[in-house]
Amino acid sequence: MTSGLSKSQIRMERLALRDALSVEERRLKSDSVAAKGANALRFSAGTIVSGFMPIRSEVDLRPLMEALRDKGARICLPVMVDRETIIFREFAKDAELVKSGFGTLGPDEQAAVLDPDLLLVPLSAFDAKGHRIGYGAGHYDRAIARLHAKGRNPTLIGIAFDCQEVPSVPAEAHDVALDAVLSESGVRYFNSRAAQ
């Protein structure tokens, strides 16, 4: 169905499918994402993992973030500092969250700014090669580029429901492919770096 469609058309199509999931379906699928992600994601204690608070019909990552914290990860959340820029602030256990732009919540200005080792990336659509379509604003693309400019090379794991997969994403030269995707079916790796 996506053959020949533009990124914006694919985005609209896949988000409509995600929106069509009932609240109960999303909850059950989010629980599956948490269980499978907590089991499959390997990292050493102190690894900085960026999650996100759900907006609209996104996967609810709160159970997964708690499970990863219990396994020794330091959790951070994206916060918009201006229309172009997101940074990642540490999300301490039981910390109060404030409005942080893009309709979501994040830690306040007192929280430490961290550079993630592993980014759990929201998306609209993905394909079997690890190409993704975001929400169109380029926030994560710019954040990843800033991390690369600092010499950091975080593992990028897309977070989605299975219904967001498409046969092919029209990738451009500047697009950074995901290392893996985590959905209710489990983790699918696109390169050996992420599987370690």
Side-chain angles (χ1 to χ4, degrees):
M1 199 150 86
T2 59
S3 180
L5 297 181
S6 69
K7 280 187 175 183
S8 62
Q9 290 169 317
I10 295 170
R11 179 182 300 114
M12 286 175 44
E13 175 189 278
R14 291 298 135 170
L15 290 180
L17 286 173
R18 191 180 78 184
D19 290 345
L21 295 170
S22 70
V23 171
E24 180 65 6
E25 285 175 304
R26 284 197 304 269
R27 186 187 67 73
L28 291 171
K29 289 175 187 291
S30 292
D31 287 348
S32 181
V33 167
K36 292 189 169 141
N39 235 6
L41 299 179
R42 305 262 185 264
F43 53 86
S44 54
T47 295
I48 300 170
V49 178
S50 171
F52 55 88
M53 298 301 282
I55 58 171
R56 299 185 295 269
S57 58
E58 285 180 336
V59 172
D60 184 349
L61 278 186
R62 290 174 288 191
L64 177 58
M65 290 189 291
E66 280 306 309
L68 297 181
R69 186 193 316 270
D70 290 345
K71 288 174 67 175
R74 289 178 72 187
I75 304 296
C76 58
L77 297 173
V79 174
M80 290 187 69
V81 293
D82 58 44
R83 292 177 59 91
E84 299 286 310
T85 311
I86 59 173
I87 59 171
F88 301 93
R89 289 188 183 147
E90 186 161 20
F91 177 30
K93 191 168 182 62
D94 300 323
E96 215 171 297
L97 300 178
V98 299
K99 289 181 181 177
S100 60
F102 212 57
T104 189
L105 300 173
D108 65 20
E109 294 176 358
Q110 305 303 311
V113 174
L114 302 175
D115 289 335
D117 302 305
L118 192 158
L119 267 86
L120 302 177
V121 183
L123 53 84
S124 300
F126 69 96
D127 68 17
K129 293 183 178 176
H131 297 121
R132 68 178 269 276
I133 298 176
Y135 293 136
H139 291 111
Y140 272 84
D141 295 326
R142 287 188 296 276
I144 292 164
R146 278 192 303 280
L147 289 167
H148 286 168
K150 290 174 148 183
R152 306 297 303 264
N153 192 20
T155 300
L156 307 176
I157 300 179
I159 301 295
F161 295 122
D162 288 338
C163 66
Q164 293 173 255
E165 183 171 5
V166 296
S168 179
V169 166
E172 299 168 38
H174 66 273
D175 290 336
V176 178
L178 298 166
D179 296 301
V181 163
L182 170 60
S183 72
E184 69 269 27
S185 295
V187 181
R188 186 178 334 163
Y189 297 101
F190 304 118
N191 64 54
S192 58
R193 179 177 90 101
Q196 297 175 18

